[in-house]
Amino acid sequence: MTGPDARRRSTVKQVAGDDAEDRALAYLTRHGLRLRTRNFRCKGGEIDLIMADSETLVFVEVRKRSSMRYGGAAASVTPAKQARLIRAAHLYLMRYSAMPPCRFDVIAFEPDGMVWIKNAFPAA
């Protein structure tokens, strides 16, 4: 699809994605995590939220799906997506002289509610 309809669709998806990130950030903050960086972008990919949970850095992927078709939001964090997140996290971590403890979480907005998956996948 090209033209104005494609731009409108992209804008609608972007607004929905931003709203999901806002809701995820508010939820995680209420649960004691502190925001370090939002929308960290690099050549290798993007990390939606980088939070601190005590001394642990938490790299958070936020996904939203309106249906469970193809497995829903959580299932959309494929091995390829995980690899991009891990590469981006390695680039982010280059700023640290000593490697902090880290984990990868997923906040999945499914049709029936939000799910927080802590330690969703390993870093290696």
Side-chain angles (χ1 to χ4, degrees):
M1 183 185 319
T2 60
D5 288 337
R7 283 191 295 274
R8 183 172 113 21
R9 182 174 164 182
S10 294
T11 302
V12 169
K13 283 186 175 184
Q14 184 63 46
V15 168
D18 290 347
D19 177 63
E21 283 182 18
D22 290 344
R23 292 171 52 200
L25 177 57
Y27 179 84
L28 293 170
T29 301
R30 283 192 308 272
H31 283 82
L33 282 73
R34 296 174 319 282
L35 179 65
R36 287 287 181 87
T37 305
R38 184 169 179 169
N39 296 320
F40 173 76
R41 289 180 175 89
C42 61
K43 188 174 182 177
E46 177 189 0
I47 301 171
D48 296 325
L49 302 170
I50 301 174
M51 309 287 291
D53 186 4
S54 189
E55 299 301 315
T56 301
L57 273 183
V58 183
F59 300 100
V60 182
E61 176 66 8
V62 180
R63 303 296 270 199
K64 181 177 181 187
R65 295 292 182 268
S66 58
S67 79
M68 293 301 289
R69 185 181 313 157
Y70 309 114
S76 72
V77 185
T78 63
K81 178 62 175 175
Q82 293 173 24
R84 286 192 300 274
L85 290 165
I86 291 167
R87 276 194 304 276
H90 282 142
L91 287 171
Y92 181 84
L93 290 167
M94 290 176 73
R95 63 185 69 191
Y96 289 88
S97 58
M99 180 73 73
C102 302
R103 72 173 193 250
F104 291 89
D105 290 3
V106 173
I107 297 281
F109 289 94
E110 306 287 3
D112 58 348
M114 188 200 82
V115 178
W116 179 12
I117 307 167
K118 290 184 182 180
N119 243 347
F121 54 90

